[in-house]
Amino acid sequence: MRVQRRGWRTGLAVVLAVGGAVALPATAGAAAAPHQVRDDFNGDGYADLAVAAPDGTVAGRAKAGFVGVLYGSASGLKSSTKQVFSQNTAGVPGGSEAGDRFGSALTTADLDRDGYTDLIVGVGGEDSGSGRVQVVWGGARGLAGGATLASGAAGDRLGAQGHLAVGDVDGDGATDLLTAVDQYGLVVSGGPFTRSGSATGERQVVKDRYASRVLDLDVGDLNGDGITDVVAAQTGTDTFDSRRIAYWWGTKDGLTPWTLVWDIDGAALQGGENLAVGDVNRDGYADIVVGRAVDGYESDHDAYRAKGGRVAWIPGTSGAPDGVSAQFVNQDNPGVPGTAEKGDRFGTDVQLADVDGDGYLDVVTGVPGEDLGPATAPNSVKDAGAVVVLSGRADGLTGVGSHQVVTQDSPGVPGASEKGDAFGGAVHVGDANGDGLADVAVGAPGENAGAGSVWSFRSRAEYVVSPGGVPIPATVLGPNGTFTFGHTLLGTTAAKARLGSEFAN
């Protein structure tokens, strides 16, 4: 969740179509800006991939949940070193039970400060929905062993989807664990953590002004003061139609009280269900990107471009996030692939990465409700799904040009779009082969009647030359190293597992 959880300043492989453009190989030194390797569980310098199936069956127990891990290498993700974790795995506390939903939320951080990234797992259904957060420790040989970090009380849903984040919110240099609790707000467990799972720092409970339900969490330095702030996508507990964006400033004394992002009318800015935080316009302040994937509610009348789902970009400033200057994008914006249609779910699982090598973070988002089909029968394949990339620039996201899309029907992508695949139900970025470009993984939890599958795309940087002769940095998706994997590789039970529902980002 994380200090700039999704803030990769790297390239991502995507299909790029530029009218009349000619592709050229990237020249030496033209790679994307420097980046940090996050999800590196074994410390070899390559990003690893953790993907969850919280609905997966383990030892005959439905929805016990499991997490699959593939490790990065110079040639990309390696299927030969895959691992699968559940509460039945040796060293992981507890045991797999029906409805536990191990993997309902995932994130990564070096909690014990041993130099290896650890995998943090939400178990949102544990103890009849009280919830639990656990860790699997990273090390030179990969992930092994574990501990329980936090356990919830009745109704807390601790570790449920969107209820988990990490970041140094008091500026002491140690990573803190942030857990959302429905009805009242956040619990901060101060790091670092011992191998038994105990937090050695202070604990803080930050209550909301109103009863609320947290939909997603992320972190970043919104005001440029050097301390991590926390942002939440929320809704009221009595209705899903009051989505809003809350945030807490990080300070040396911990988090400040809850406040909201305001719009031009002085009301709470209409939010969404998915969050990413990062400096899109490179002004030194982290921005808030909100995906509002669910449409059809009455509040859509007050939410510009809500049809079919939208993405909002809210710039950070030295003061507060600037909701008045927010930009809103859906598939009816010029240059954005597709057409805004009810139920597209544009804005699902927003993440940030520099996909074209120009130094600006772009928005990668799923459109799992997108209908596809051949020219003779467009929209005949319902909810097949897609992934769209919106180009970030100094002035935000709305500039026309180089917005991109990929589906299972794109050239070089294995498989074919089918009804209910929900391709783009979750997305992930990480430099799996260490070439300085972020690779992308896409989950299709509806694939094969709800078994779920994952697609991995390796980046290759190129330039395209526009009709006017201007070189434009770009990246190209597949067929260089693109592959798909699922339960056959992992050795897991496929039926209704919905693999690809959640990635560790």
Side-chain angles (χ1 to χ4, degrees), residues 8-11 29-36 282 354 356-360 431 435-438:
W8 286 85
R9 292 188 173 278
T10 47
H35 66 289
Q36 66 180 98
R282 295 185 63 184
D354 180 3
D356 53 14
D358 66 354
Y360 290 95
D431 186 4
D435 65 354
L437 301 173

mmCIF file of all heavy atoms in Angstrom, residues 8-11 29-36 282 354 356-360 431 435-438:
data_model
loop_
_atom_site.group_PDB
_atom_site.id
_atom_site.type_symbol
_atom_site.label_atom_id
_atom_site.label_comp_id
_atom_site.label_asym_id
_atom_site.label_seq_id
_atom_site.Cartn_x
_atom_site.Cartn_y
_atom_site.Cartn_z
ATOM 1 N N TRP A 8 5.532 3.808 -9.969
ATOM 2 C CA TRP A 8 6.676 3.394 -10.790
ATOM 3 C C TRP A 8 6.985 4.472 -11.828
ATOM 4 O O TRP A 8 6.170 4.797 -12.662
ATOM 5 C CB TRP A 8 6.358 2.091 -11.501
ATOM 6 C CG TRP A 8 6.380 0.922 -10.603
ATOM 7 C CD1 TRP A 8 5.355 0.471 -9.822
ATOM 8 C CD2 TRP A 8 7.479 0.058 -10.356
ATOM 9 N NE1 TRP A 8 5.760 -0.624 -9.125
ATOM 10 C CE2 TRP A 8 7.043 -0.902 -9.434
ATOM 11 C CE3 TRP A 8 8.791 0.007 -10.831
ATOM 12 C CZ2 TRP A 8 7.876 -1.908 -8.978
ATOM 13 C CZ3 TRP A 8 9.608 -0.998 -10.386
ATOM 14 C CH2 TRP A 8 9.152 -1.935 -9.468
ATOM 15 N N ARG A 9 8.203 4.973 -11.833
ATOM 16 C CA ARG A 9 8.629 5.892 -12.894
ATOM 17 C C ARG A 9 9.349 5.068 -13.951
ATOM 18 O O ARG A 9 10.553 5.148 -14.132
ATOM 19 C CB ARG A 9 9.577 6.951 -12.339
ATOM 20 C CG ARG A 9 8.871 7.914 -11.393
ATOM 21 C CD ARG A 9 9.809 9.049 -11.032
ATOM 22 N NE ARG A 9 9.134 10.060 -10.266
ATOM 23 C CZ ARG A 9 8.385 11.015 -10.798
ATOM 24 N NH1 ARG A 9 8.207 11.071 -12.090
ATOM 25 N NH2 ARG A 9 7.813 11.912 -10.031
ATOM 26 N N THR A 10 8.576 4.240 -14.645
ATOM 27 C CA THR A 10 9.153 3.287 -15.565
ATOM 28 C C THR A 10 8.237 3.099 -16.739
ATOM 29 O O THR A 10 7.131 3.606 -16.776
ATOM 30 C CB THR A 10 9.357 1.926 -14.869
ATOM 31 O OG1 THR A 10 8.166 1.604 -14.172
ATOM 32 C CG2 THR A 10 10.503 1.985 -13.886
ATOM 33 N N GLY A 11 8.672 2.319 -17.724
ATOM 34 C CA GLY A 11 7.850 2.055 -18.893
ATOM 35 C C GLY A 11 7.030 0.810 -18.710
ATOM 36 O O GLY A 11 7.401 -0.092 -18.008
ATOM 37 N N GLY A 29 20.519 4.783 -23.871
ATOM 38 C CA GLY A 29 20.280 5.871 -22.930
ATOM 39 C C GLY A 29 18.884 6.416 -22.973
ATOM 40 O O GLY A 29 18.560 7.361 -22.274
ATOM 41 N N ALA A 30 18.009 5.802 -23.801
ATOM 42 C CA ALA A 30 16.650 6.314 -23.928
ATOM 43 C C ALA A 30 15.660 5.574 -23.056
ATOM 44 O O ALA A 30 14.466 5.705 -23.216
ATOM 45 C CB ALA A 30 16.200 6.222 -25.395
ATOM 46 N N ALA A 31 16.160 4.794 -22.140
ATOM 47 C CA ALA A 31 15.267 4.058 -21.252
ATOM 48 C C ALA A 31 14.544 5.010 -20.322
ATOM 49 O O ALA A 31 14.870 6.189 -20.219
ATOM 50 C CB ALA A 31 16.051 3.028 -20.442
ATOM 51 N N ALA A 32 13.564 4.470 -19.614
ATOM 52 C CA ALA A 32 12.774 5.301 -18.714
ATOM 53 C C ALA A 32 13.611 5.771 -17.534
ATOM 54 O O ALA A 32 14.724 5.321 -17.296
ATOM 55 C CB ALA A 32 11.570 4.497 -18.222
ATOM 56 N N ALA A 33 13.040 6.694 -16.803
ATOM 57 C CA ALA A 33 13.726 7.284 -15.661
ATOM 58 C C ALA A 33 14.040 6.232 -14.600
ATOM 59 O O ALA A 33 13.421 5.174 -14.552
ATOM 60 C CB ALA A 33 12.847 8.378 -15.058
ATOM 61 N N PRO A 34 15.007 6.500 -13.700
ATOM 62 C CA PRO A 34 15.361 5.535 -12.664
ATOM 63 C C PRO A 34 14.152 5.154 -11.812
ATOM 64 O O PRO A 34 13.240 5.933 -11.611
ATOM 65 C CB PRO A 34 16.404 6.289 -11.830
ATOM 66 C CG PRO A 34 16.970 7.299 -12.747
ATOM 67 C CD PRO A 34 15.838 7.708 -13.652
ATOM 68 N N HIS A 35 14.191 3.941 -11.303
ATOM 69 C CA HIS A 35 13.063 3.437 -10.550
ATOM 70 C C HIS A 35 13.551 2.626 -9.375
ATOM 71 O O HIS A 35 14.712 2.277 -9.279
ATOM 72 C CB HIS A 35 12.192 2.550 -11.448
ATOM 73 C CG HIS A 35 12.897 1.298 -11.868
ATOM 74 N ND1 HIS A 35 13.935 1.316 -12.764
ATOM 75 C CD2 HIS A 35 12.743 0.005 -11.482
ATOM 76 C CE1 HIS A 35 14.390 0.068 -12.910
ATOM 77 N NE2 HIS A 35 13.685 -0.738 -12.155
ATOM 78 N N GLN A 36 12.658 2.327 -8.482
ATOM 79 C CA GLN A 36 12.965 1.455 -7.375
ATOM 80 C C GLN A 36 12.309 0.101 -7.619
ATOM 81 O O GLN A 36 11.255 0.009 -8.228
ATOM 82 C CB GLN A 36 12.448 2.040 -6.060
ATOM 83 C CG GLN A 36 10.941 2.109 -5.984
ATOM 84 C CD GLN A 36 10.458 2.692 -4.677
ATOM 85 O OE1 GLN A 36 10.147 3.858 -4.603
ATOM 86 N NE2 GLN A 36 10.399 1.873 -3.646
ATOM 87 N N ARG A 282 4.616 15.884 -11.981
ATOM 88 C CA ARG A 282 6.021 16.140 -11.635
ATOM 89 C C ARG A 282 6.247 17.527 -11.045
ATOM 90 O O ARG A 282 7.235 18.182 -11.347
ATOM 91 C CB ARG A 282 6.913 15.917 -12.861
ATOM 92 C CG ARG A 282 6.953 14.491 -13.361
ATOM 93 C CD ARG A 282 7.933 14.316 -14.492
ATOM 94 N NE ARG A 282 9.297 14.609 -14.046
ATOM 95 C CZ ARG A 282 10.369 14.610 -14.852
ATOM 96 N NH1 ARG A 282 10.215 14.362 -16.141
ATOM 97 N NH2 ARG A 282 11.554 14.877 -14.377
ATOM 98 N N ASP A 354 5.086 5.080 -15.543
ATOM 99 C CA ASP A 354 5.463 5.819 -16.743
ATOM 100 C C ASP A 354 5.535 4.827 -17.893
ATOM 101 O O ASP A 354 6.524 4.148 -18.093
ATOM 102 C CB ASP A 354 6.820 6.493 -16.539
ATOM 103 C CG ASP A 354 7.270 7.276 -17.755
ATOM 104 O OD1 ASP A 354 6.517 7.364 -18.751
ATOM 105 O OD2 ASP A 354 8.402 7.790 -17.732
ATOM 106 N N ASP A 356 5.358 5.352 -21.239
ATOM 107 C CA ASP A 356 5.928 5.757 -22.524
ATOM 108 C C ASP A 356 7.319 6.362 -22.392
ATOM 109 O O ASP A 356 7.867 6.879 -23.356
ATOM 110 C CB ASP A 356 4.991 6.728 -23.249
ATOM 111 C CG ASP A 356 4.597 7.927 -22.394
ATOM 112 O OD1 ASP A 356 5.245 8.155 -21.353
ATOM 113 O OD2 ASP A 356 3.632 8.619 -22.770
ATOM 114 N N GLY A 357 7.914 6.299 -21.207
ATOM 115 C CA GLY A 357 9.292 6.733 -21.048
ATOM 116 C C GLY A 357 9.509 8.224 -21.079
ATOM 117 O O GLY A 357 10.651 8.675 -21.224
ATOM 118 N N ASP A 358 8.458 9.030 -20.919
ATOM 119 C CA ASP A 358 8.636 10.483 -20.984
ATOM 120 C C ASP A 358 8.843 11.108 -19.616
ATOM 121 O O ASP A 358 8.945 12.321 -19.490
ATOM 122 C CB ASP A 358 7.451 11.134 -21.689
ATOM 123 C CG ASP A 358 6.130 11.008 -20.921
ATOM 124 O OD1 ASP A 358 6.114 10.305 -19.878
ATOM 125 O OD2 ASP A 358 5.130 11.588 -21.374
ATOM 126 N N GLY A 359 8.903 10.277 -18.571
ATOM 127 C CA GLY A 359 9.155 10.795 -17.232
ATOM 128 C C GLY A 359 7.924 11.142 -16.443
ATOM 129 O O GLY A 359 8.023 11.512 -15.264
ATOM 130 N N TYR A 360 6.738 11.049 -17.047
ATOM 131 C CA TYR A 360 5.490 11.338 -16.341
ATOM 132 C C TYR A 360 4.754 10.038 -16.040
ATOM 133 O O TYR A 360 4.721 9.121 -16.872
ATOM 134 C CB TYR A 360 4.588 12.244 -17.187
ATOM 135 C CG TYR A 360 5.102 13.644 -17.335
ATOM 136 C CD1 TYR A 360 5.858 14.011 -18.445
ATOM 137 C CD2 TYR A 360 4.857 14.606 -16.357
ATOM 138 C CE1 TYR A 360 6.349 15.300 -18.585
ATOM 139 C CE2 TYR A 360 5.342 15.900 -16.490
ATOM 140 C CZ TYR A 360 6.094 16.244 -17.600
ATOM 141 O OH TYR A 360 6.577 17.522 -17.733
ATOM 142 N N ASP A 431 9.075 -4.223 -12.487
ATOM 143 C CA ASP A 431 10.176 -4.515 -13.407
ATOM 144 C C ASP A 431 10.703 -5.924 -13.146
ATOM 145 O O ASP A 431 11.682 -6.125 -12.432
ATOM 146 C CB ASP A 431 11.274 -3.474 -13.231
ATOM 147 C CG ASP A 431 12.388 -3.628 -14.254
ATOM 148 O OD1 ASP A 431 12.271 -4.491 -15.145
ATOM 149 O OD2 ASP A 431 13.381 -2.885 -14.164
ATOM 150 N N ASP A 435 15.167 -4.398 -16.609
ATOM 151 C CA ASP A 435 15.634 -3.587 -17.737
ATOM 152 C C ASP A 435 15.250 -2.122 -17.612
ATOM 153 O O ASP A 435 15.482 -1.329 -18.522
ATOM 154 C CB ASP A 435 15.110 -4.149 -19.057
ATOM 155 C CG ASP A 435 13.592 -4.061 -19.184
ATOM 156 O OD1 ASP A 435 12.921 -3.671 -18.204
ATOM 157 O OD2 ASP A 435 13.076 -4.405 -20.267
ATOM 158 N N GLY A 436 14.669 -1.731 -16.478
ATOM 159 C CA GLY A 436 14.299 -0.340 -16.267
ATOM 160 C C GLY A 436 12.922 0.010 -16.767
ATOM 161 O O GLY A 436 12.502 1.162 -16.642
ATOM 162 N N LEU A 437 12.211 -0.945 -17.342
ATOM 163 C CA LEU A 437 10.848 -0.731 -17.809
ATOM 164 C C LEU A 437 9.910 -1.590 -16.977
ATOM 165 O O LEU A 437 10.163 -2.779 -16.758
ATOM 166 C CB LEU A 437 10.708 -1.120 -19.288
ATOM 167 C CG LEU A 437 11.611 -0.369 -20.272
ATOM 168 C CD1 LEU A 437 11.487 -0.986 -21.654
ATOM 169 C CD2 LEU A 437 11.227 1.102 -20.321
ATOM 170 N N ALA A 438 8.806 -1.018 -16.515
ATOM 171 C CA ALA A 438 7.863 -1.792 -15.707
ATOM 172 C C ALA A 438 7.049 -2.705 -16.600
ATOM 173 O O ALA A 438 6.491 -2.289 -17.604
ATOM 174 C CB ALA A 438 6.933 -0.865 -14.934
#
